[in-house]
Amino acid sequence: MKKRLRWLLTTTLAAVAIVLVAASLIKSPAGQAPSGTPSAPKYIFIFLADGGGTTQMEITRQYNRYIHNEGVAITDKIIKQGTLGLLTTHAGDFLSTDSAAAATALASGCKGKNAVLSICVDGSVPKTVMEVAKEKGMRVGLVTNAPIYDASPAAFISHVENRRNYSAILDQYLKMAPDLLLGGGRDYFLPKGQVGGERKDEVDLIKAFVSKGYQYVSDKNELERTKQGKVLGLFSLQDMSFEIDRDKKTEPSVYHMTEAAIRLLYNGNSRGFAVFIENENVDTASHLSDVASMIHDYREFDRAIGLAYEFYRSHPQETLILVTADHETGGLGFTQGLINFTSTAAANRVAATAEDYKRIQSIPISLRKASEILGPNPTSEAIDNLMKEYFQGFTLAPELKELIIKRQPLSRTIFYNPTTNALGMMIAHNIQAYWSTSGHTNQPVFIAALGPGAEKFKGYLDNSDFGKNLKSLLERGKSH
Ligand SMILES: [Zn+2]
Protein backbone atom coordinates (compact mmCIF):
# COMPACT_ATOMS: atom_id res chain seq x y z
CA MET A 1 0.00 0.00 0.00
CA LYS A 2 2.76 2.35 0.99
CA LYS A 3 4.62 1.42 -2.18
CA ARG A 4 1.52 2.03 -4.30
CA LEU A 5 0.99 5.45 -2.68
CA ARG A 6 4.58 6.43 -3.48
CA TRP A 7 4.08 5.24 -7.08
CA LEU A 8 0.85 7.23 -7.33
CA LEU A 9 2.53 10.33 -5.95
CA THR A 10 5.52 9.99 -8.27
CA THR A 11 3.41 9.51 -11.38
CA THR A 12 1.08 12.36 -10.41
CA LEU A 13 4.03 14.72 -9.86
CA ALA A 14 5.56 13.62 -13.16
CA ALA A 15 2.26 14.30 -14.95
CA VAL A 16 1.99 17.75 -13.34
CA ALA A 17 5.57 18.52 -14.37
CA ILE A 18 4.84 17.48 -17.97
CA VAL A 19 1.73 19.67 -18.06
CA LEU A 20 3.70 22.65 -16.68
CA VAL A 21 6.50 22.20 -19.21
CA ALA A 22 3.97 21.81 -22.02
CA ALA A 23 2.12 24.94 -20.87
CA SER A 24 5.32 26.96 -20.89
CA LEU A 25 5.90 25.89 -24.49
CA ILE A 26 2.48 27.04 -25.68
CA LYS A 27 2.89 30.53 -27.04
CA SER A 28 0.57 33.40 -26.34
CA PRO A 29 -0.47 35.43 -29.43
CA ALA A 30 2.50 37.74 -28.89
CA GLY A 31 4.82 34.75 -28.95
CA GLN A 32 5.69 34.91 -25.29
CA ALA A 33 5.56 32.19 -22.70
CA PRO A 34 2.47 32.88 -20.59
CA SER A 35 4.03 32.25 -17.20
CA GLY A 36 7.24 32.92 -15.30
CA THR A 37 9.46 36.00 -15.22
CA PRO A 38 9.99 37.19 -18.77
CA SER A 39 13.59 37.47 -19.88
CA ALA A 40 14.98 40.06 -22.25
CA PRO A 41 14.55 39.26 -25.93
CA LYS A 42 17.80 37.88 -27.30
CA TYR A 43 17.32 38.87 -30.93
CA ILE A 44 15.81 42.29 -31.64
CA PHE A 45 14.82 43.67 -35.04
CA ILE A 46 13.84 47.35 -35.27
CA PHE A 47 12.36 47.99 -38.72
CA LEU A 48 11.78 51.62 -39.66
CA ALA A 49 10.07 52.82 -42.82
CA ASP A 50 11.25 56.42 -42.86
CA GLY A 51 8.25 58.56 -43.77
CA GLY A 52 6.11 55.43 -44.00
CA GLY A 53 2.76 56.11 -42.37
CA THR A 54 -0.28 53.90 -42.30
CA THR A 55 -1.31 55.03 -45.81
CA GLN A 56 2.07 54.13 -47.30
CA MET A 57 1.69 50.66 -45.79
CA GLU A 58 -1.95 50.30 -46.84
CA ILE A 59 -1.34 51.41 -50.41
CA THR A 60 1.51 48.90 -50.65
CA ARG A 61 -0.71 46.21 -49.16
CA GLN A 62 -3.42 46.91 -51.76
CA TYR A 63 -0.86 47.04 -54.57
CA ASN A 64 0.51 43.63 -53.54
CA ARG A 65 -2.99 42.25 -53.42
CA TYR A 66 -4.26 43.66 -56.73
CA ILE A 67 -1.09 43.42 -58.79
CA HIS A 68 0.78 40.42 -57.41
CA ASN A 69 -1.96 38.53 -55.57
CA GLU A 70 0.34 38.55 -52.54
CA GLY A 71 -0.05 39.69 -48.96
CA VAL A 72 2.34 41.72 -46.85
CA ALA A 73 4.31 40.40 -43.89
CA ILE A 74 3.43 43.42 -41.73
CA THR A 75 -0.32 42.79 -41.60
CA ASP A 76 -0.47 39.06 -42.39
CA LYS A 77 2.26 37.94 -40.01
CA ILE A 78 3.51 40.59 -37.57
CA ILE A 79 0.19 42.29 -36.73
CA LYS A 80 -1.88 39.12 -37.06
CA GLN A 81 0.24 37.15 -34.60
CA GLY A 82 1.60 40.05 -32.56
CA THR A 83 0.39 43.41 -31.30
CA LEU A 84 -0.55 46.75 -32.83
CA GLY A 85 -0.21 50.26 -31.47
CA LEU A 86 0.02 53.89 -32.53
CA LEU A 87 2.88 56.25 -31.76
CA THR A 88 2.66 60.03 -31.62
CA THR A 89 5.29 61.71 -33.77
CA HIS A 90 5.59 65.35 -32.63
CA ALA A 91 9.05 66.62 -31.75
CA GLY A 92 10.08 68.35 -28.52
CA ASP A 93 9.94 71.73 -30.25
CA PHE A 94 7.60 71.37 -33.27
CA LEU A 95 4.31 69.66 -34.10
CA SER A 96 5.83 68.03 -37.17
CA THR A 97 8.98 66.12 -36.51
CA ASP A 98 12.07 65.58 -38.58
CA SER A 99 13.86 62.24 -38.64
CA ALA A 100 16.35 63.35 -35.97
CA ALA A 101 13.84 64.17 -33.20
CA ALA A 102 11.74 61.10 -34.04
CA ALA A 103 14.74 58.78 -34.04
CA THR A 104 15.88 60.30 -30.72
CA ALA A 105 12.53 59.30 -29.20
CA LEU A 106 12.72 55.79 -30.64
CA ALA A 107 16.40 55.22 -29.86
CA SER A 108 16.80 56.99 -26.54
CA GLY A 109 13.32 57.23 -25.06
CA CYS A 110 13.01 61.00 -24.69
CA LYS A 111 11.65 63.90 -26.70
CA GLY A 112 14.34 65.72 -28.64
CA LYS A 113 14.44 68.80 -30.84
CA ASN A 114 14.37 68.67 -34.62
CA ALA A 115 17.88 68.28 -36.10
CA VAL A 116 19.37 67.04 -32.78
CA LEU A 117 20.40 63.39 -32.31
CA SER A 118 19.81 61.52 -29.03
CA ILE A 119 20.05 64.56 -26.76
CA CYS A 120 16.81 65.26 -24.85
CA VAL A 121 15.07 68.67 -24.83
CA ASP A 122 16.38 69.22 -21.27
CA GLY A 123 19.96 68.71 -22.50
CA SER A 124 20.45 65.31 -20.89
CA VAL A 125 22.17 62.59 -22.88
CA PRO A 126 20.59 59.18 -22.29
CA LYS A 127 21.97 55.87 -23.46
CA THR A 128 20.51 54.62 -26.72
CA VAL A 129 18.98 51.15 -27.02
CA MET A 130 22.03 50.10 -29.04
CA GLU A 131 24.39 51.30 -26.30
CA VAL A 132 22.41 49.32 -23.73
CA ALA A 133 22.42 46.24 -25.97
CA LYS A 134 26.16 46.55 -26.57
CA GLU A 135 26.85 46.83 -22.83
CA LYS A 136 24.96 43.56 -22.39
CA GLY A 137 27.33 41.89 -24.81
CA MET A 138 24.86 41.73 -27.68
CA ARG A 139 25.98 42.41 -31.20
CA VAL A 140 24.56 45.58 -32.73
CA GLY A 141 24.07 46.67 -36.32
CA LEU A 142 22.69 49.45 -38.50
CA VAL A 143 21.24 48.81 -41.96
CA THR A 144 19.80 51.51 -44.21
CA ASN A 145 19.57 52.61 -47.82
CA ALA A 146 20.23 56.18 -46.69
CA PRO A 147 23.78 57.30 -45.98
CA ILE A 148 24.79 55.29 -42.91
CA TYR A 149 25.37 58.58 -41.01
CA ASP A 150 21.83 59.83 -41.77
CA ALA A 151 19.66 60.97 -38.84
CA SER A 152 17.60 57.82 -38.22
CA PRO A 153 20.43 55.28 -37.90
CA ALA A 154 22.72 57.92 -36.35
CA ALA A 155 20.39 58.54 -33.38
CA PHE A 156 20.79 54.88 -32.38
CA ILE A 157 24.54 55.20 -31.88
CA SER A 158 25.61 58.84 -31.66
CA HIS A 159 24.74 61.97 -29.70
CA VAL A 160 25.22 65.23 -31.61
CA GLU A 161 23.72 68.71 -31.53
CA ASN A 162 23.39 68.89 -35.32
CA ARG A 163 22.39 65.96 -37.52
CA ARG A 164 24.49 67.40 -40.37
CA ASN A 165 27.72 67.00 -38.41
CA TYR A 166 28.45 63.76 -40.25
CA SER A 167 32.14 63.55 -39.34
CA ALA A 168 31.30 63.73 -35.62
CA ILE A 169 28.62 61.04 -36.07
CA LEU A 170 31.06 58.70 -37.83
CA ASP A 171 33.78 59.34 -35.25
CA GLN A 172 31.30 58.11 -32.62
CA TYR A 173 30.51 55.04 -34.75
CA LEU A 174 34.21 54.20 -34.93
CA LYS A 175 34.54 54.56 -31.17
CA MET A 176 31.48 52.44 -30.38
CA ALA A 177 32.42 49.88 -33.06
CA PRO A 178 29.03 48.34 -33.91
CA ASP A 179 29.31 44.86 -35.42
CA LEU A 180 27.63 45.83 -38.66
CA LEU A 181 27.19 48.99 -40.73
CA LEU A 182 25.48 48.62 -44.10
CA GLY A 183 24.24 51.50 -46.22
CA GLY A 184 25.20 54.43 -48.42
CA GLY A 185 27.30 57.49 -47.58
CA ARG A 186 30.84 56.59 -48.61
CA ASP A 187 31.51 60.31 -49.17
CA TYR A 188 32.16 61.03 -45.48
CA PHE A 189 34.53 58.07 -45.16
CA LEU A 190 36.87 59.33 -47.86
CA PRO A 191 39.70 61.75 -47.06
CA LYS A 192 39.76 65.30 -48.41
CA GLY A 193 40.90 65.38 -52.01
CA GLN A 194 39.78 61.86 -52.91
CA VAL A 195 37.16 61.69 -55.69
CA GLY A 196 33.71 61.92 -54.09
CA GLY A 197 35.21 62.67 -50.68
CA GLU A 198 33.37 65.21 -48.51
CA ARG A 199 35.51 65.18 -45.38
CA LYS A 200 37.36 68.33 -44.43
CA ASP A 201 40.35 66.37 -43.10
CA GLU A 202 42.82 63.76 -44.35
CA VAL A 203 41.26 60.89 -42.38
CA ASP A 204 40.52 57.73 -44.39
CA LEU A 205 37.70 56.32 -42.29
CA ILE A 206 37.39 53.09 -44.30
CA LYS A 207 41.04 52.33 -43.43
CA ALA A 208 40.34 53.22 -39.80
CA PHE A 209 37.47 50.69 -39.65
CA VAL A 210 39.54 48.01 -41.44
CA SER A 211 42.36 48.48 -38.94
CA LYS A 212 39.79 47.83 -36.18
CA GLY A 213 39.11 44.44 -37.76
CA TYR A 214 36.22 45.22 -40.13
CA GLN A 215 35.81 43.63 -43.54
CA TYR A 216 34.93 46.35 -46.05
CA VAL A 217 32.54 45.59 -48.92
CA SER A 218 31.14 47.88 -51.60
CA ASP A 219 28.79 45.84 -53.81
CA LYS A 220 26.13 43.15 -53.69
CA ASN A 221 28.43 40.25 -54.59
CA GLU A 222 31.05 41.16 -52.00
CA LEU A 223 28.30 41.44 -49.37
CA GLU A 224 26.93 38.00 -50.28
CA ARG A 225 30.36 36.45 -49.76
CA THR A 226 30.69 37.68 -46.16
CA LYS A 227 30.30 34.88 -43.64
CA GLN A 228 31.10 36.27 -40.22
CA GLY A 229 32.90 39.01 -38.33
CA LYS A 230 32.44 42.77 -38.31
CA VAL A 231 31.45 44.25 -41.66
CA LEU A 232 31.37 47.79 -43.02
CA GLY A 233 29.39 47.89 -46.29
CA LEU A 234 29.13 51.17 -48.19
CA PHE A 235 27.27 50.79 -51.47
CA SER A 236 27.07 54.37 -52.76
CA LEU A 237 28.60 57.79 -52.17
CA GLN A 238 25.36 59.19 -50.73
CA ASP A 239 21.81 57.76 -50.90
CA MET A 240 21.36 54.29 -52.32
CA SER A 241 19.08 53.90 -55.36
CA PHE A 242 15.33 53.77 -55.35
CA GLU A 243 14.25 50.17 -55.73
CA ILE A 244 12.57 51.05 -59.04
CA ASP A 245 15.93 52.28 -60.46
CA ARG A 246 18.32 49.93 -58.64
CA ASP A 247 20.93 47.99 -60.62
CA LYS A 248 19.83 44.53 -59.54
CA LYS A 249 23.23 42.97 -60.26
CA THR A 250 25.53 45.23 -58.29
CA GLU A 251 23.59 47.11 -55.63
CA PRO A 252 21.98 45.29 -52.69
CA SER A 253 18.45 46.21 -51.60
CA VAL A 254 17.23 46.49 -48.03
CA TYR A 255 16.11 42.86 -48.41
CA HIS A 256 19.64 41.70 -49.36
CA MET A 257 21.22 43.75 -46.58
CA THR A 258 18.77 42.24 -44.07
CA GLU A 259 19.68 38.75 -45.28
CA ALA A 260 23.37 39.53 -44.72
CA ALA A 261 22.66 41.17 -41.34
CA ILE A 262 20.89 38.09 -40.01
CA ARG A 263 23.74 35.85 -41.18
CA LEU A 264 26.54 38.07 -39.85
CA LEU A 265 24.94 38.95 -36.52
CA TYR A 266 23.73 35.42 -35.77
CA ASN A 267 26.69 33.23 -36.81
CA GLY A 268 28.91 32.19 -33.91
CA ASN A 269 27.04 34.41 -31.46
CA SER A 270 25.64 33.18 -28.14
CA ARG A 271 24.85 36.66 -26.75
CA GLY A 272 22.12 37.82 -29.16
CA PHE A 273 21.84 40.95 -31.29
CA ALA A 274 19.91 44.16 -31.86
CA VAL A 275 19.67 45.43 -35.41
CA PHE A 276 18.12 48.60 -36.83
CA ILE A 277 16.90 48.22 -40.43
CA GLU A 278 15.61 51.25 -42.33
CA ASN A 279 14.16 51.98 -45.72
CA GLU A 280 14.86 55.68 -46.20
CA ASN A 281 13.54 55.77 -49.75
CA VAL A 282 9.94 55.56 -48.58
CA ASP A 283 10.53 59.05 -47.15
CA THR A 284 12.48 60.37 -50.13
CA ALA A 285 9.90 59.09 -52.64
CA SER A 286 7.12 60.63 -50.54
CA HIS A 287 8.94 64.01 -50.45
CA LEU A 288 9.08 63.81 -54.24
CA SER A 289 5.35 62.87 -54.55
CA ASP A 290 6.49 59.68 -56.30
CA VAL A 291 3.89 57.02 -55.52
CA ALA A 292 5.39 54.32 -57.77
CA SER A 293 8.86 54.59 -56.19
CA MET A 294 7.35 54.66 -52.72
CA ILE A 295 5.45 51.42 -53.34
CA HIS A 296 8.46 49.60 -54.81
CA ASP A 297 10.59 50.54 -51.81
CA TYR A 298 7.91 49.72 -49.26
CA ARG A 299 7.49 46.30 -50.90
CA GLU A 300 11.20 45.63 -50.50
CA PHE A 301 11.02 46.78 -46.88
CA ASP A 302 8.15 44.36 -46.25
CA ARG A 303 10.10 41.51 -47.91
CA ALA A 304 12.94 42.21 -45.46
CA ILE A 305 10.44 41.93 -42.58
CA GLY A 306 9.46 38.55 -44.05
CA LEU A 307 13.07 37.41 -43.55
CA ALA A 308 12.99 38.49 -39.90
CA TYR A 309 9.71 36.63 -39.51
CA GLU A 310 11.34 33.42 -40.81
CA PHE A 311 14.10 33.95 -38.23
CA TYR A 312 11.46 34.49 -35.54
CA ARG A 313 9.84 31.15 -36.46
CA SER A 314 13.12 29.40 -35.62
CA HIS A 315 13.58 31.38 -32.38
CA PRO A 316 10.05 32.37 -31.27
CA GLN A 317 10.80 32.62 -27.54
CA GLU A 318 13.82 34.86 -28.07
CA THR A 319 13.04 37.10 -31.03
CA LEU A 320 11.31 40.49 -30.88
CA ILE A 321 10.35 42.14 -34.17
CA LEU A 322 9.32 45.81 -34.08
CA VAL A 323 8.01 47.57 -37.19
CA THR A 324 7.30 51.28 -37.16
CA ALA A 325 8.00 54.64 -38.78
CA ASP A 326 9.41 57.93 -37.56
CA HIS A 327 6.60 59.98 -39.19
CA GLU A 328 4.43 60.08 -42.27
CA THR A 329 5.62 62.04 -45.27
CA GLY A 330 3.48 63.69 -47.93
CA GLY A 331 -0.03 63.28 -46.53
CA LEU A 332 -0.72 60.62 -49.12
CA GLY A 333 -4.13 59.18 -49.95
CA PHE A 334 -6.36 58.06 -52.79
CA THR A 335 -9.28 60.40 -53.08
CA GLN A 336 -12.68 60.61 -54.74
CA GLY A 337 -14.27 63.87 -55.72
CA LEU A 338 -15.58 66.15 -58.42
CA ILE A 339 -13.45 67.11 -61.41
CA ASN A 340 -14.78 70.69 -61.40
CA PHE A 341 -17.70 72.82 -60.19
CA THR A 342 -19.96 72.14 -63.18
CA SER A 343 -22.09 69.38 -61.67
CA THR A 344 -22.33 66.64 -59.10
CA ALA A 345 -23.38 64.04 -61.70
CA ALA A 346 -21.55 60.74 -61.91
CA ALA A 347 -19.82 61.81 -65.14
CA ASN A 348 -18.10 64.63 -63.25
CA ARG A 349 -16.88 62.38 -60.44
CA VAL A 350 -13.56 60.64 -60.10
CA ALA A 351 -12.55 57.95 -57.65
CA ALA A 352 -9.59 55.63 -57.55
CA THR A 353 -10.12 51.96 -58.40
CA ALA A 354 -7.91 48.86 -58.42
CA GLU A 355 -7.20 49.69 -62.09
CA ASP A 356 -5.16 52.66 -60.88
CA TYR A 357 -2.63 50.26 -59.36
CA LYS A 358 -2.06 48.86 -62.86
CA ARG A 359 -1.25 52.36 -64.05
CA ILE A 360 1.19 52.79 -61.16
CA GLN A 361 2.75 49.46 -62.13
CA SER A 362 3.29 50.75 -65.68
CA ILE A 363 5.66 53.50 -64.44
CA PRO A 364 9.21 52.14 -64.96
CA ILE A 365 11.40 54.86 -63.37
CA SER A 366 11.48 57.15 -60.35
CA LEU A 367 10.50 60.78 -60.73
CA ARG A 368 14.03 61.69 -59.68
CA LYS A 369 15.35 59.73 -62.66
CA ALA A 370 12.76 61.46 -64.87
CA SER A 371 14.03 64.78 -63.59
CA GLU A 372 17.64 63.76 -64.34
CA ILE A 373 16.63 62.75 -67.88
CA LEU A 374 15.06 66.17 -68.48
CA GLY A 375 17.98 68.04 -66.93
CA PRO A 376 17.99 71.60 -65.58
CA ASN A 377 16.51 73.33 -68.67
CA PRO A 378 13.87 71.02 -70.14
CA THR A 379 12.30 71.84 -73.51
CA SER A 380 8.70 71.19 -74.43
CA GLU A 381 9.83 68.51 -76.89
CA ALA A 382 11.97 66.72 -74.28
CA ILE A 383 8.97 66.62 -71.93
CA ASP A 384 6.78 65.14 -74.70
CA ASN A 385 9.41 62.45 -75.35
CA LEU A 386 9.67 61.66 -71.65
CA MET A 387 5.88 61.24 -71.47
CA LYS A 388 5.86 58.94 -74.51
CA GLU A 389 8.71 56.80 -73.27
CA TYR A 390 7.93 56.44 -69.55
CA PHE A 391 4.41 57.65 -68.78
CA GLN A 392 2.24 56.04 -71.40
CA GLY A 393 -1.46 56.45 -70.69
CA PHE A 394 -0.87 59.52 -68.50
CA THR A 395 -1.87 63.04 -69.50
CA LEU A 396 0.25 66.03 -68.52
CA ALA A 397 -1.90 69.15 -68.13
CA PRO A 398 -0.50 72.18 -70.03
CA GLU A 399 -0.18 74.23 -66.83
CA LEU A 400 1.97 71.51 -65.22
CA LYS A 401 4.18 71.31 -68.32
CA GLU A 402 4.58 75.08 -68.08
CA LEU A 403 5.78 74.82 -64.46
CA ILE A 404 8.45 72.28 -65.49
CA ILE A 405 9.72 74.53 -68.29
CA LYS A 406 9.61 77.72 -66.19
CA ARG A 407 11.17 75.90 -63.19
CA GLN A 408 8.45 76.96 -60.78
CA PRO A 409 7.31 74.90 -57.78
CA LEU A 410 3.64 74.09 -57.36
CA SER A 411 3.55 74.58 -53.62
CA ARG A 412 5.83 74.77 -50.63
CA THR A 413 8.40 72.10 -51.20
CA ILE A 414 11.31 70.65 -49.28
CA PHE A 415 13.34 69.33 -52.18
CA TYR A 416 13.44 72.08 -54.78
CA ASN A 417 12.64 70.14 -57.92
CA PRO A 418 9.91 71.60 -60.16
CA THR A 419 10.03 68.51 -62.42
CA THR A 420 9.23 65.94 -59.72
CA ASN A 421 6.80 68.38 -58.13
CA ALA A 422 4.77 68.73 -61.37
CA LEU A 423 5.06 65.07 -62.42
CA GLY A 424 3.84 63.99 -58.99
CA MET A 425 0.76 66.15 -59.46
CA MET A 426 0.37 64.81 -63.01
CA ILE A 427 0.19 61.27 -61.60
CA ALA A 428 -2.25 62.44 -58.90
CA HIS A 429 -4.57 64.00 -61.51
CA ASN A 430 -4.54 60.78 -63.51
CA ILE A 431 -4.99 58.18 -60.77
CA GLN A 432 -6.33 60.17 -57.78
CA ALA A 433 -3.36 59.39 -55.48
CA TYR A 434 -2.91 62.87 -53.97
CA TRP A 435 -0.21 64.27 -51.72
CA SER A 436 -1.16 67.07 -49.35
CA THR A 437 2.42 68.31 -48.82
CA SER A 438 5.96 67.57 -49.89
CA GLY A 439 7.05 67.65 -46.24
CA HIS A 440 6.37 65.59 -43.11
CA THR A 441 2.97 65.41 -41.44
CA ASN A 442 2.13 64.95 -37.76
CA GLN A 443 0.04 61.78 -38.25
CA PRO A 444 0.61 59.10 -35.64
CA VAL A 445 2.39 56.03 -37.02
CA PHE A 446 1.63 52.38 -36.41
CA ILE A 447 3.87 50.15 -34.30
CA ALA A 448 3.58 46.42 -34.96
CA ALA A 449 5.38 44.03 -32.62
CA LEU A 450 5.84 40.29 -32.43
CA GLY A 451 7.72 38.23 -29.87
CA PRO A 452 8.65 38.51 -26.17
CA GLY A 453 7.87 42.03 -24.94
CA ALA A 454 5.50 42.82 -27.84
CA GLU A 455 2.71 43.66 -25.37
CA LYS A 456 4.71 46.75 -24.30
CA PHE A 457 4.09 48.32 -27.71
CA LYS A 458 0.31 48.01 -27.69
CA GLY A 459 -2.14 50.90 -27.54
CA TYR A 460 -1.67 54.62 -28.07
CA LEU A 461 1.85 55.59 -27.02
CA ASP A 462 4.17 58.54 -27.19
CA ASN A 463 7.04 57.80 -29.58
CA SER A 464 9.46 58.24 -26.66
CA ASP A 465 7.72 55.27 -24.98
CA PHE A 466 9.14 53.11 -27.76
CA GLY A 467 12.73 53.83 -26.67
CA LYS A 468 11.83 53.70 -22.95
CA ASN A 469 10.04 50.37 -23.27
CA LEU A 470 12.72 48.82 -25.42
CA LYS A 471 15.45 49.86 -22.98
CA SER A 472 13.49 48.47 -20.03
CA LEU A 473 13.04 45.19 -21.92
CA LEU A 474 16.77 45.00 -22.58
CA GLU A 475 17.48 45.62 -18.93
CA ARG A 476 15.01 42.89 -17.84
CA GLY A 477 17.34 39.96 -17.61
CA LYS A 478 21.03 39.43 -17.78
CA SER A 479 20.50 35.76 -18.41
CA HIS A 480 22.07 35.43 -21.85
ZN1 LIG B 1 11.89 63.30 -44.67
Side-chain angles (χ1 to χ4, degrees), residues 283 287 327 329 440:
D283 181 61
H287 278 297
H327 52 76
T329 300
H440 300 170

Side-chain angles (χ1 to χ4, degrees), residues 399-411:
E399 63 271 20
L400 292 177
K401 189 175 179 183
E402 195 73 3
L403 288 175
I404 298 176
I405 295 168
K406 289 190 173 158
R407 315 308 291 150
Q408 284 170 355
L410 259 173
S411 57

Side-chain angles (χ1 to χ4, degrees), residues 119-413:
I119 300 172
C120 309
V121 275
D122 64 5
S124 61
V125 183
K127 280 179 190 164
T128 73
V129 294
M130 290 302 179
E131 287 168 328
V132 174
K134 177 103 175 160
E135 278 177 10
K136 282 191 69 180
M138 297 166 83
R139 289 185 185 168
V140 298
L142 301 179
V143 174
T144 179
N145 55 6
I148 194 70
Y149 50 71
D150 199 34
S152 314
F156 280 81
I157 288 194
S158 63
H159 306 266
V160 295
E161 291 284 355
N162 183 347
R163 60 180 282 183
R164 311 243 172 252
N165 194 348
Y166 305 134
S167 299
I169 291 166
L170 291 177
D171 289 346
Q172 293 185 38
Y173 283 13
L174 184 67
K175 194 168 165 222
M176 198 258 212
D179 299 82
L180 187 70
L181 293 168
L182 301 178
R186 198 186 305 124
D187 54 356
Y188 274 87
F189 285 73
L190 301 174
K192 186 181 168 188
Q194 199 155 318
V195 180
E198 288 287 347
R199 290 187 73 89
K200 305 273 178 285
D201 56 27
E202 312 297 329
V203 175
D204 184 330
L205 214 52
I206 294 174
K207 270 192 189 153
F209 274 93
V210 169
S211 68
K212 272 199 146 186
Y214 284 76
Q215 300 162 69
Y216 171 66
V217 294
S218 62
D219 69 26
K220 187 173 168 231
N221 295 328
E222 286 176 1
L223 179 65
E224 279 168 0
R225 286 199 292 271
T226 55
K227 293 278 183 290
Q228 55 188 0
K230 291 194 174 192
V231 172
L232 169 67
L234 299 171
F235 307 103
S236 65
L237 273 177
Q238 290 163 354
D239 285 304
M240 290 175 68
S241 304
F242 284 120
E243 184 56 25
I244 202 169
D245 300 330
R246 182 172 64 86
D247 180 336
K248 309 284 187 284
K249 284 204 191 89
T250 60
E251 188 178 343
S253 71
V254 167
Y255 175 88
H256 302 121
M257 292 192 285
T258 301
E259 201 172 39
I262 292 173
R263 177 176 71 245
L264 290 162
L265 294 174
Y266 179 71
N267 278 353
N269 176 11
S270 62
R271 309 287 293 272
F273 62 74
V275 62
F276 167 88
I277 300 170
E278 177 192 40
N279 193 323
E280 168 72 11
N281 286 341
V282 172
D283 181 61
T284 311
S286 298
H287 278 297
L288 296 173
S289 308
D290 185 348
V291 70
S293 293
M294 187 285 289
I295 290 173
H296 284 271
D297 263 282
Y298 207 108
R299 270 167 56 75
E300 201 64 6
F301 175 69
D302 185 73
R303 285 200 333 122
I305 293 163
L307 285 174
Y309 178 74
E310 288 308 312
F311 182 90
Y312 161 83
R313 296 213 327 157
S314 309
H315 311 272
Q317 305 298 320
E318 301 169 309
T319 307
L320 175 63
I321 300 174
L322 300 166
V323 183
T324 192
D326 47 358
H327 52 76
E328 193 272 346
T329 300
L332 173 63
F334 278 107
T335 191
Q336 53 89 24
L338 299 175
I339 296 170
N340 52 41
F341 297 141
T342 56
S343 91
T344 55
N348 196 36
R349 286 178 188 274
V350 285
T353 69
E355 283 301 301
D356 289 311
Y357 282 115
K358 288 192 181 150
R359 302 180 74 190
I360 292 174
Q361 188 194 16
S362 76
I363 300 171
I365 56 168
S366 70
L367 297 187
R368 184 159 67 192
K369 189 89 168 257
S371 169
E372 284 164 16
I373 291 168
L374 287 185
N377 299 303
T379 62
S380 173
E381 194 192 353
I383 297 169
D384 292 344
N385 289 339
L386 181 93
M387 289 299 298
K388 254 184 251 149
E389 175 123 22
Y390 300 107
F391 299 98
Q392 282 175 17
F394 287 85
T395 311
L396 180 64
E399 63 271 20
L400 292 177
K401 189 175 179 183
E402 195 73 3
L403 288 175
I404 298 176
I405 295 168
K406 289 190 173 158
R407 315 308 291 150
Q408 284 170 355
L410 259 173
S411 57
R412 284 185 179 167
T413 174

